[in-house]
Amino acid sequence: TKTISKCYIQVTGMTCASCVANIERNLRREDGIHSILVALMAGKAEVRYNPAMIHPSSIAELIRELGFGATVMENCDEGDGILELVVRGMTCASCVHKIESTLMKTNGVLYCSVALATNKAHIKYDPELVGPRDIIQMIKDLGFTTSLVKKDRSASHLDHKQEIRQWRRSFLVSLFFCIPVMGLMIYMMIMDSQLADAHAHHNMSTEEMETLHSSMFLERQLLPGLSVMNFLSFLLCVPVQMFGGWHFYIQAYKAVKHKTANMDVLIVLATSIAFVYSFVVLLVAMAEKAKVNPVTFFDTPPMLFVFISLGRWLEHVAKGKTSEALARLISLQATEATIVTLGPDNILLSEEQVDVELVQRGDIVKVTPGGKFPVDGRVIEGHSMVDESLITGEAMPVTKKPGNTVIAGSINQNGSLLISATHVGADTTLSQIVKLVEEAQTSKAPIQKFADKLSGYFVPFIVVVSVVTLFAWIIIGFVDFEIVEKYFLGYNKSISAAEVVIRFAFQASITVLCIACPCSLGLA
């Protein structure tokens, strides 16, 4: 018995099925070559040869002589386990970075790439050191839900319907409460400018101004220190903070638990601080029975949540579009195949229906008129016309007779054919196309990797900056109160200078947080 070895050769420059036929026909004639199989889309040839008679490099040389580029592929994925996972719960680039960095630190994981757009993780690992179960457990420990990619052809992991619904709801809730808040704000601005005009024209004293100011309906006090305006803003802000921001809080909590900071943490920080600060200021004013209403930030959270949930909603709608095209492509695949057993002289002995995934290379598959070809193969028996427009775009049916190749997903028209499967599962032309499209979605542009990295450092940086702002203004205020007085307009003279400084410092630092939070980097 002569030993048969197998090698893979990367072939470039093939343009159509006749190139494939040309290579296969010429190489079969060579001594020592047992069999050859060429896949057009993947651009690789699988050759079984007798190592005593011929060497892989000389096989590649033979292909080069035919006018194609050929290189022998070393250790072509032999022995490496490949794991495809669906990961749910990722919201931004730093989640992706977190999963990738954690897995790459693990002994036995050779490669890991996570795609935010498709919710997929692609992991290569050494089966001797680590197993799929360990990897799945690791991702779960990081706070994400994950499962093996079920080979369902509906492409449900590309389906963003649930997220689209969730973000749309979040956006609409925020919007519903945001519009009145914005209305109140604009009204206040107009009234204030009118007051300023009145002040300019009539030279009123400040006391008169204040009486005029507080006589406006919105500035009227329900309780000492609690104006109608602030009370309404507070009422409108609570539901947004609770319901509009719910998903942000969950994600931020998970991120903080794992000592990472992502965009969600920033959003939650900015809105919560604005909300809590305003609430505390109100309580203080009520306790003091203040005559002048305090400045609050109840308008910040609703408006931030509106913009960000709108952004997230649009993002998922856009992802859904790309995914839809892929889903359509995937749906062209046949789901079942009829495998037949042949006796002498190609007599049918038996046939059975099996799932496409279970078809092996070399199986004989029967395709009835009107049926789809489940796998790529070569016709053994029968004549028919086949519609291959899904690959070639050519609407005219192509004649098939014994010896011709057929493509998975194309439609058999009038005759029954028996084909021998040459490429099955992930190697079929259609699977390769789907894979190329998915890889285009999963592989990140270098600039994107850079942005991911930056967003990891961005959040802590902003928090530090806002704390620095807080202390800087407190120091400035105590050293030189006039500066604060110059910038902090409309503060009331009755409260102590120290309190003015602290309120102003808080205002400045919260402003930093609120403005940096929907940063262009994160939104982009």
Side-chain angles (χ1 to χ4, degrees):
T1 55
K2 54 182 180 188
T3 54
I4 299 287
S5 295
K6 184 162 80 169
C7 70
Y8 291 93
I9 296 174
Q10 186 81 48
V11 184
T12 53
M14 298 188 291
T15 53
C16 62
S18 61
C19 301
V20 173
N22 184 10
I23 295 175
E24 291 186 351
R25 196 177 57 245
N26 282 297
L27 285 194
R28 278 207 190 89
R29 298 189 192 133
E30 298 293 331
D31 289 333
I33 291 184
H34 200 260
S35 70
I36 172 164
L37 249 181
V38 182
L40 178 63
M41 286 300 298
K44 75 178 180 189
E46 184 184 316
V47 188
R48 288 171 172 275
Y49 64 99
N50 179 359
M53 296 174 74
I54 196 165
H55 203 260
S57 53
S58 44
I59 298 175
E61 191 49 50
L62 289 169
I63 297 178
R64 277 199 286 275
E65 280 167 15
L66 295 172
F68 302 97
T71 48
V72 179
M73 295 165 75
E74 301 294 336
N75 59 13
C76 176
D77 294 341
E78 301 301 279
D80 285 355
I82 292 184
L83 187 59
E84 289 270 351
L85 297 174
V86 177
V87 182
R88 291 261 177 214
M90 296 189 290
T91 53
C92 66
S94 48
C95 301
V96 171
H97 176 66
K98 181 166 73 177
I99 296 176
E100 287 180 0
S101 55
T102 309
L103 287 180
M104 289 302 282
K105 283 180 205 152
T106 310
N107 191 15
V109 175
L110 310 171
Y111 166 82
C112 167
S113 160
V114 181
L116 188 56
T118 52
N119 287 337
K120 269 197 165 181
H122 183 85
I123 299 147
K124 279 189 188 157
Y125 60 94
D126 184 343
E128 313 243 321
L129 296 171
V130 69
R133 279 207 309 278
D134 310 330
I135 295 173
I136 290 177
Q137 193 50 50
M138 264 175 244
I139 298 178
K140 281 193 177 144
D141 289 344
L142 289 174
F144 303 96
T145 49
T146 178
S147 57
L148 276 170
V149 174
K150 300 267 191 306
K151 284 280 189 255
D152 60 339
R153 285 172 204 79
S154 63
S156 71
H157 61 275
L158 299 175
D159 178 24
H160 292 274
K161 285 199 182 69
Q162 185 202 344
E163 280 104 335
I164 291 172
R165 266 206 313 272
Q166 161 185 319
W167 287 114
R168 192 177 66 201
R169 201 169 51 227
S170 187
F171 169 66
L172 292 174
V173 167
S174 306
L175 187 68
F176 180 75
F177 291 105
C178 175
I179 291 170
V181 170
M182 284 174 78
L184 288 176
M185 245 175 76
I186 293 165
Y187 176 73
M188 287 300 290
M189 282 175 177
I190 294 169
M191 292 309 280
D192 278 353
S193 67
Q194 280 178 1
L195 277 175
D197 290 352
H199 191 200
H201 291 146
H202 302 291
N203 303 329
M204 298 186 197
S205 67
T206 331
E207 277 74 35
E208 285 177 286
M209 273 284 292
E210 280 181 4
T211 26
L212 192 74
H213 202 248
S214 55
S215 68
M216 280 163 43
F217 171 67
L218 285 178
E219 285 294 327
R220 249 184 233 145
Q221 299 197 334
L222 296 169
L223 295 163
L226 177 66
S227 66
V228 178
M229 167 80 183
N230 280 338
F231 183 63
L232 286 177
S233 304
F234 172 71
L235 285 187
L236 291 167
C237 190
V238 172
V240 178
Q241 203 68 20
M242 303 291 290
F243 302 109
W246 181 245
H247 304 294
F248 294 105
Y249 276 98
I250 294 172
Q251 292 304 332
Y253 170 68
K254 283 182 180 169
V256 171
K257 209 168 66 176
H258 289 282
K259 300 185 178 59
T260 56
N262 57 12
M263 290 315 296
D264 295 312
V265 174
L266 202 51
I267 295 161
V268 164
L269 260 179
T271 52
S272 307
I273 289 178
F275 181 74
V276 171
Y277 169 77
S278 308
F279 187 54
V280 170
V281 167
L282 264 191
L283 291 180
V284 168
M286 285 165 70
E288 288 177 353
K289 303 206 184 323
K291 294 278 180 295
V292 174
N293 299 308
V295 179
T296 56
F297 291 107
F298 287 126
D299 48 353
T300 308
M303 290 168 85
L304 256 187
F305 281 136
V306 164
F307 290 127
I308 299 215
S309 47
L310 174 65
R312 294 269 166 100
W313 176 31
L314 292 176
E315 180 191 354
H316 282 293
V317 170
K319 280 188 201 168
K321 289 271 189 298
T322 324
S323 310
E324 218 169 278
L326 245 186
R328 287 214 186 102
L329 197 55
I330 293 175
S331 68
L332 295 170
Q333 292 169 321
T335 49
E336 294 203 313
T338 310
I339 294 186
V340 298
T341 323
L342 295 180
D345 301 335
N346 287 357
I347 301 164
L348 277 181
L349 295 180
S350 67
E351 55 179 75
E352 59 165 334
Q353 288 272 1
V354 300
D355 200 34
V356 166
E357 260 92 74
L358 301 176
V359 179
Q360 296 169 11
R361 187 182 287 175
D363 282 345
I364 310 296
V365 179
K366 175 176 151 192
V367 184
T368 50
K372 279 184 185 171
F373 289 94
V375 291
D376 292 4
R378 202 173 273 108
V379 180
I380 302 176
E381 191 178 287
H383 286 73
S384 182
M385 305 292 280
V386 173
D387 174 4
E388 290 186 339
S389 59
L390 95 145
I391 300 289
T392 59
E394 173 57 71
M396 284 289 288
V398 189
T399 317
K400 296 289 180 193
K401 52 186 193 293
N404 291 140
T405 52
V406 290
I407 303 170
S410 52
I411 298 161
N412 184 15
Q413 296 200 326
N414 48 19
S416 187
L417 292 177
L418 288 181
I419 64 165
S420 163
T422 53
H423 294 98
V424 297
D427 294 332
T428 63
T429 309
L430 195 57
S431 301
Q432 289 290 332
I433 294 175
V434 171
K435 192 169 133 216
L436 285 173
V437 177
E438 278 202 336
E439 271 174 9
Q441 269 203 351
T442 46
S443 58
K444 276 186 231 142
I447 187 75
Q448 207 180 339
K449 283 201 172 125
F450 182 61
D452 286 3
K453 218 167 163 176
L454 279 186
S455 70
Y457 301 120
F458 180 78
V459 184
F461 174 70
I462 290 300
V463 174
V464 168
V465 168
S466 75
V467 170
V468 169
T469 310
L470 176 70
F471 286 116
W473 275 112
I474 290 177
I475 293 164
I476 291 171
F478 283 123
V479 171
D480 185 355
F481 183 63
E482 268 126 52
I483 298 180
V484 174
E485 209 166 15
K486 195 170 91 192
Y487 290 114
F488 196 20
L489 302 167
Y491 81 92
N492 106 351
K493 303 283 189 291
S494 63
I495 55 179
S496 68
E499 194 174 346
V500 174
V501 172
I502 286 170
R503 282 189 192 184
F504 180 69
F506 257 101
Q507 219 167 326
S509 68
I510 287 168
T511 312
V512 171
L513 267 188
C514 294
I515 287 172
C517 153
C519 74
S520 46
L521 185 78
L523 292 178

